[in-house]
Amino acid sequence: MRFIIILSLFFLSFNAAQAQQFNNFSLEVGGGAHFPFNPKDSKDQTSLSNYISMKQFQVSGRYMFNEKIGLKGQYAYFYFQDKENHLNKSAMHKVTLEAVYNLGNALNFNYAFQERFTLLLHGGAGISFLKPKESYDFEKIGNLQLGITPMVKISNQVAFYMDVTPVLNLMQHYSYGGELLNADYKAQSGFFLNANAGFVFYLGSRNQHADWY
């Protein structure tokens, strides 16, 4: 029964999108830097600033139901490595689902800035897969995030974006250097800031996307 309801809602939203005069889908591709704040391995006196790097990228698919509200699914990859000791390292794959709200459209930013600038607010939850050093297993970590995305329209098909997103890891057992944080396997919360930039590619046959309609 639940599946039928979800399927019905999907078809209703699809039919509504067909009647609209703008495109709904977009693809985002970018990369940037990450800034870890915690947890810190008490056995490792290395500053977490050693793990700040540009070794990350992400790709997202976004669907706007109307000019203000949408959903975004995202895959992101992060590589943490100690600048002074390259043996201390970990890799993280993160998948999230977020709600998106077009603040620029809601506040008429598009008109004030000649329809070239807008601002997206996004937030949601997901799961990360952290691979510690010298391990073949991935730790599964639930996470929450909330970010803001300024965008500049280049053409009807492309926009440039910048994004700042704090990420909260709910239960993390390994440090960014790949070490077990606690011998008793007690989890800690983790937190890092993700800053990146890239391009939005608008998909569809109509001239305008919902971001700029």
Side-chain angles (χ1 to χ4, degrees):
M1 183 64 182
R2 186 178 299 175
F3 174 77
I4 294 174
I5 294 173
I6 294 173
L7 193 62
S8 300
L9 289 173
F10 173 80
F11 280 113
L12 285 172
S13 63
F14 179 79
N15 290 333
Q18 292 298 102
Q20 291 168 345
Q21 300 302 311
F22 49 77
N23 294 318
N24 304 80
F25 289 99
S26 63
L27 180 67
E28 302 172 15
V29 180
H34 45 258
F35 305 83
F37 289 92
N38 66 285
K40 179 173 173 57
D41 189 348
S42 60
K43 303 184 295 276
D44 182 6
Q45 300 306 311
T46 302
S47 170
L48 284 178
S49 63
N50 279 19
Y51 293 95
I52 298 173
S53 79
M54 299 285 290
K55 298 178 181 178
Q56 63 108 318
F57 72 89
Q58 60 187 42
V59 58
S60 307
R62 180 160 55 88
Y63 180 88
M64 297 299 291
F65 297 105
N66 52 45
E67 301 96 318
K68 296 179 183 177
I69 300 172
L71 279 178
K72 179 168 76 170
Q74 181 188 86
Y75 164 77
Y77 172 81
F78 305 89
Y79 187 73
F80 301 95
Q81 188 173 45
D82 186 346
K83 296 175 182 177
E84 297 177 357
N85 184 354
H86 289 181
L87 295 179
N88 294 335
K89 58 186 178 181
S90 64
M92 179 183 289
H93 304 265
K94 181 168 68 68
V95 181
T96 54
L97 182 64
E98 299 179 282
V100 180
Y101 187 72
N102 192 329
L103 284 174
N105 212 319
L107 300 174
N108 289 328
F109 274 21
N110 294 349
Y111 300 100
F113 293 92
Q114 299 180 346
E115 301 184 354
R116 288 289 177 181
F117 175 81
T118 195
L119 197 63
L120 302 183
L121 179 68
H122 60 90
I127 185 169
S128 296
F129 300 88
L130 179 68
K131 185 180 184 300
K133 64 180 182 179
E134 301 176 357
S135 174
Y136 295 99
D137 297 323
F138 287 87
E139 179 185 16
K140 300 179 182 64
I141 305 170
N143 55 66
L144 301 172
Q145 64 183 44
L146 178 68
I148 193 163
T149 310
M151 294 200 307
V152 178
K153 183 180 179 182
I154 299 175
S155 71
N156 287 339
Q157 288 75 42
V158 182
F160 174 76
Y161 81 87
M162 294 179 291
D163 182 85
V164 177
T165 301
V167 180
L168 174 66
N169 292 331
L170 300 178
M171 297 181 68
Q172 189 170 331
H173 293 90
Y174 290 88
S175 69
Y176 297 105
E179 297 287 349
L180 187 64
L181 291 167
N182 190 290
D184 296 327
Y185 205 68
K186 292 182 179 179
Q188 299 183 33
S189 61
F191 178 78
F192 67 92
L193 184 69
N194 179 31
N196 67 89
F199 294 94
V200 181
F201 301 95
Y202 296 118
L203 310 177
S205 58
R206 297 176 178 86
N207 290 331
Q208 290 281 6
H209 185 270
D211 289 348
W212 312 101
Y213 191 79

